Amino acid sequence: IWALALPTVCHLDPVFGEVMDETAELLRRTFRTANRATLPVSATGSGGMDALVVNFVAPGDRVVVGVNGLFGERMADAMERAGAHVVRVDGEWGRAIPPERLIDAAADGLDAMFVVHGETSTGVCQPLDGLAEACRERDALLLVDCVTSLAGQPLDLDAAGVDAAFSGTQKCLNCPPGLAPFTAGERAIAKLRAREDRPRSWYFDLSLVLGYWDGESGRAYHHTAPINMVYALREALRIVQEEGLEARWERHARAHEALRAALAELGLERLAPDGEQLHPLLAVRVPEGVDEAAVRRRLLLEHHIEISGGLGPLAGRIWRIGVMGIGAAEEPQRRLVEALGTLLE
């Protein structure tokens, strides 16, 4: 809160330039990448998704998209709007897609592959094993959505060979929404520079945005950044580093398992099988005969606790519970379990 309340300076003030540089470096450490092109896009996570598409997917590109939840569906839609030839690899909502299925879909060639590392609609974590190698064999890019996994689920972008990724500030970073952490490696930037057509969005054109964010070459005005949101993100990233990234991953894993076990005592079983769970988000099946919307409504109005319902084919069948940031702790989980226990009785 205090970071948001710092005095608002000009977006071209050298003092703010120092804030930008520190924020970008902290993002590199959190993404586990050396990518120079690492910055918070001035938009929510959905804006980060659009920035990924408009910069690295050109009309006619063949793109393999893993679809096992709402956010895979959204990306397939965004790719089609960009004029790409989308090759969908559909999977069951609530299960990870076997990497070999994605690799098999690349056999006929591709320009990019996209997967959702942390599928917010199902609580599933997607393995990245072998995907980067398959993409590099075909001179293609590996693109990743890590909105709900960044800083809460083990993820090392450089080790996984990810070429570009985006996230959001309001999940495990515990920062207000409004910025989209974004990173792109040299292979992705090379493709952007080699494009014959310009990205269809002026605002999200990374070649222009980097002219503002890359302080090594001076800062060219592109847009007025949300100054105080960058202050807040910098402070949130400092907190991540103070805790330690590995320690933060482990805390989210412990909190997830503790809540899973407690809710199982109430008859609420996790949707994702062992080994495919997304620690920052626990999706549980609603028992037969329970009016899930009524329970959620009473939970909010009587206990001031909000959880989410299912989406798409899982609507009315699951509850989605955040286990992220300060929510990955004993006290908020105790309150939730006690309240749900009362309501389910």
Side-chain angles (χ1 to χ4, degrees), residues 23 26 33 79 129 154 165 181 204 207 276 297 311 323 339 341 343:
T23 303
L26 288 168
T33 184
M79 295 288 188
D129 305 327
F204 289 129
S207 61
E276 297 181 11
R297 184 166 55 251
L311 300 166
V323 188
L343 294 174

Side-chain angles (χ1 to χ4, degrees), residues 57-257:
V57 177
D61 278 1
R62 187 175 191 271
V63 184
V64 170
V65 179
V67 182
N68 59 341
L70 177 69
F71 292 91
E73 289 278 6
R74 285 179 54 174
M75 182 55 85
D77 182 16
M79 295 288 188
E80 289 172 351
R81 290 170 184 245
H85 170 54
V86 175
V87 179
R88 292 173 58 112
V89 178
D90 288 285
E92 178 185 348
W93 286 41
R95 294 298 308 272
I97 300 173
E100 56 268 23
R101 289 191 58 212
L102 294 159
I103 294 169
D104 288 345
D108 294 332
L110 76 164
D111 297 286
M113 179 185 292
F114 172 83
V115 293
V116 181
H117 182 246
E119 180 52 77
T120 314
S121 64
T122 64
V124 166
C125 181
Q126 174 62 46
L128 304 179
D129 305 327
L131 301 186
E133 292 80 359
C135 288
R136 277 164 173 71
E137 287 173 4
R138 297 159 179 84
D139 195 27
L141 301 180
L142 177 58
L143 311 175
V144 172
D145 171 344
C146 53
V147 168
T148 310
S149 57
L150 182 66
Q153 187 90 5
L155 178 64
D156 186 322
L157 289 188
D158 282 1
V162 175
D163 291 297
F166 68 95
S167 187
T169 50
Q170 76 278 14
K171 304 290 187 183
C172 301
L173 293 178
N174 232 153
C175 185
L179 292 173
F182 191 94
T183 187
E186 293 181 2
R187 297 177 71 250
I189 296 299
K191 178 173 181 177
L192 174 61
R193 289 173 176 162
R195 286 182 62 159
E196 296 181 0
D197 63 321
R198 293 187 296 177
R200 72 179 190 279
S201 170
W202 180 90
Y203 184 71
F204 289 129
D205 185 340
L206 193 61
S207 61
L208 300 177
V209 176
L210 286 175
Y212 173 53
W213 267 91
D214 192 344
E216 286 190 349
S217 56
R219 301 194 189 277
Y221 168 69
H222 177 260
H223 68 284
T224 301
I227 308 299
N228 295 67
M229 274 301 305
V230 177
Y231 291 159
L233 176 58
R234 178 182 63 167
E235 183 59 24
L237 293 168
R238 284 173 170 175
I239 292 171
V240 170
Q241 294 303 315
E242 287 169 4
E243 182 176 3
L245 195 53
E246 291 87 353
R248 199 174 181 91
W249 291 341
E250 179 58 31
R251 174 167 63 84
H252 281 76
R254 288 196 309 270
H256 178 103
E257 180 54 31

